[in-house]
Amino acid sequence: MIVLVDTLCSVAFYCQRCGQIEIADVPVFSGHGDVVLTCSHCGAEKARLRLVPRKGLVIETGCVVCGQRNRVHYPLRQLRTMTLEKIYCEKDHFELGYIGKWQALAEFLDFNAAEYDALHPHDAYNFMEHQQILLEAFNRVHDLAEEGELFCPCGGHEFTADIAEDAIHLECTRCGSSAVIPAKTPDDLKQLQPGCEVAFLRPDLIRNR
C-alpha cells in the first residue's frame, strides 16, 4: 500500500497581535510562492512559509518585542524526524511558537495549560490566555503611544518596552523614567484605554528605593 503524505509537519504560532495560538499543518507545496498563515481570530499574519530547494522549509515571522522579522529554516531530513521544537526570536529569545508533529504540539499545549492551572490555581485563566493577555497588552500600549495617548511626566512620548512575566515595562527615552503596566488579567486589559493614567518613576527614585 502506498501512503500519500500531504503535509511536511505542523506549526503553532502565537499571534503577535491578539496572542491566540492554533495548530496548522504545513502543506507539501511546490513552486516558490509563500504560504501565509493568518490568525483565525483577528486576521493578522502569523508567519510566511516557503519550501526552498536544497535548503528545506524557511519560516519568517515577526516579533512584537523587538519589532523585527525572524527567519529560521529546517532541512527536510530534520522535519521527517522532528517531534517538537520551540521557535524563538533571534534577538530577545521571546517564544514565538512551535514546530513538529501535530499530536506532539497538541499534547504540549494542553500540558502547558494544565501545568499553569496547577501552579496558579487562583488565577481565572490558563497558560494560553496568559500569553494572549501579554501580547494584547503590549500591542495596546504600542497603539496608545502611537496615538499620542501615552506621556511621561517629563513630556516625552517615546518609550522602549519589554514584556515581563505578567507586565509591560516601559522606559522613557527622554528622561529614563520607567513604569510597570500590569498585564496579568482581563481586568488589566480593560485599563489600557485612551485616557488611562500610567505612573512613571524617575531614575533617581528607583535607585533610592
Side-chain angles (χ1 to χ4, degrees), residues 26 36 44 61 70 73 113 119 122 136 172:
V26 177
V36 181
T61 185
N70 292 266
H73 80 273
L119 293 173
H122 301 297
E136 186 166 349
C172 175

Side-chain angles (χ1 to χ4, degrees), residues 66-97:
C66 71
Q68 299 180 2
R69 293 190 67 81
N70 292 266
R71 174 180 289 192
V72 293
H73 80 273
Y74 298 92
L76 293 180
R77 63 180 180 276
Q78 182 181 358
L79 294 177
R80 296 190 188 101
T81 59
M82 180 188 297
T83 301
L84 185 147
E85 284 193 12
K86 295 182 178 181
I87 300 175
Y88 294 99
C89 172
E90 297 171 338
K91 183 176 181 180
D92 55 35
H93 211 61
F94 185 70
E95 192 171 291
L96 301 174

Side-chain angles (χ1 to χ4, degrees), residues 107-151:
E107 292 176 355
F108 177 79
L109 295 179
D110 287 344
F111 172 79
N112 272 356
E115 183 180 45
Y116 188 93
D117 286 341
L119 293 173
H120 305 80
H122 301 297
D123 288 342
Y125 62 101
N126 63 28
F127 176 81
M128 300 307 150
E129 290 172 308
H130 176 243
Q131 292 293 97
Q132 292 162 17
I133 289 171
L134 271 176
L135 286 169
E136 186 166 349
F138 189 92
N139 281 293
R140 288 194 185 187
V141 168
H142 178 270
D143 290 345
L144 289 172
E146 286 284 305
E147 294 165 5
E149 294 283 349
L150 190 61
F151 288 93

Side-chain angles (χ1 to χ4, degrees), residues 193-204:
Q193 303 293 338
C196 66
E197 295 185 3
V198 177
F200 282 87
L201 284 178
R202 300 198 312 270
D204 57 327

